[in-house]
Every structure is written in C-alpha cells, then in structure tokens.
Amino acid sequence: QVQLVESGGGLVQPGGSLRLACIGFGRGFERYVMAWFREAPGTEREFVSAISRSGSNIYYADSVKGRFTISRDNAKKMLYLEMTNVKPEDSADYYCAAGVSEENYSRRNLYNYWGQGTQVTVSS
C-alpha cells in the first residue's frame, strides 16, 4: 500500500512553467506504474501522463505532449510533472495515482491509489 501526497500547484501565467511533485509514503513505490491525472470544474478526471516502474516507458495525452515531462525517482519515492508553456486550459486539480498495470495506462479506474490533488491555475 502507498499513500500519495502532491505538492507544487499554484498560480502561473500563460506560457510559464510549474513543477508538480508527488511523494509516495509506504512500501513498494518502485513496484507501481505512476500517473498524473487532472480534473477541471465540471469535467471528468482525465489522463495526463504515465510512467512505467523503471521509467523506461512514458506516455502523454496529446494535449500536453511536447509541453509536459513526467519523471520519477524510485530511491526518493518521488514522481514529478514538469509543466512548460502552460495554457489556461491546463487549469485543473492535478492528481498523482499509482497502479499495478501498465496496460491501458490512461484508464483511471485501473489505478489503486490516489493523492488528494494540487490545484493549478493558469491565468494572467
């Protein structure tokens, strides 16, 4: 079992950058596929990015490809999301999630553990 806590959200101007972090408390962080999802008001939680256990396989939603970078440090039990050239439509609550299957990595119901979320607002 792992407990996830996100940090790093805040207010950023369009075109700016932000780095989100997620720490995994408990055992076995390195055994989980990790992902970021986001949820804007009035919308469903959507997939942003996922990374395999070793970090060798990385996946992105088309909407963030080329702008966001996911990474992990298993020794520190940390997951990161580097957000660059952010847009107003990136505004949302961002959640990190841990799951056991890399297949169908974009399906939120396959993730077992979730953090409480961190809010990102992109506005001038």
Side-chain angles (χ1 to χ4, degrees), residues 11 13 17 30 36 41 45-46 49 62 70-71 82 84 91-92 100 113 117-119 122:
L11 175 64
Q13 292 186 342
S17 299
E30 69 281 358
W36 289 98
R45 193 169 298 186
E46 66 174 6
S49 182
D62 288 342
I70 191 172
S71 62
E82 191 78 38
T84 63
S91 297
V100 297
Y113 304 104
T118 185
Q119 186 176 57
V122 182

Side-chain angles (χ1 to χ4, degrees), residues 1 11 14 16 21-22 25 29 34 36 38-39 50-51 58 69 72 75 78 81 83 91 112-113 120:
Q1 187 172 354
L11 175 64
C22 171
F25 294 102
F29 177 85
M34 299 298 297
W36 289 98
R38 67 186 181 186
E39 185 175 331
I51 187 168
I58 287 176
T69 302
R72 67 188 295 167
M78 295 293 298
L81 185 69
M83 306 168 62
S91 297
N112 306 91
Y113 304 104
V120 172

Side-chain angles (χ1 to χ4, degrees), residues 43-105:
T43 70
E44 291 191 353
R45 193 169 298 186
E46 66 174 6
F47 170 76
V48 175
S49 182
I51 187 168
S52 62
R53 294 171 180 82
S54 67
S56 58
N57 296 329
I58 287 176
Y59 311 93
Y60 295 103
D62 288 342
S63 58
V64 306
K65 201 171 293 183
R67 300 188 297 119
F68 291 9
T69 302
I70 191 172
S71 62
R72 67 188 295 167
D73 185 334
N74 287 340
K76 296 181 179 179
K77 301 183 178 182
M78 295 293 298
L79 176 73
Y80 304 100
L81 185 69
E82 191 78 38
M83 306 168 62
T84 63
N85 190 22
V86 296
K87 304 175 182 180
E89 52 263 43
D90 294 322
S91 297
D93 290 329
Y94 283 72
Y95 298 87
C96 71
V100 297
S101 175
E102 189 174 335
E103 191 174 356
N104 296 317
Y105 53 83

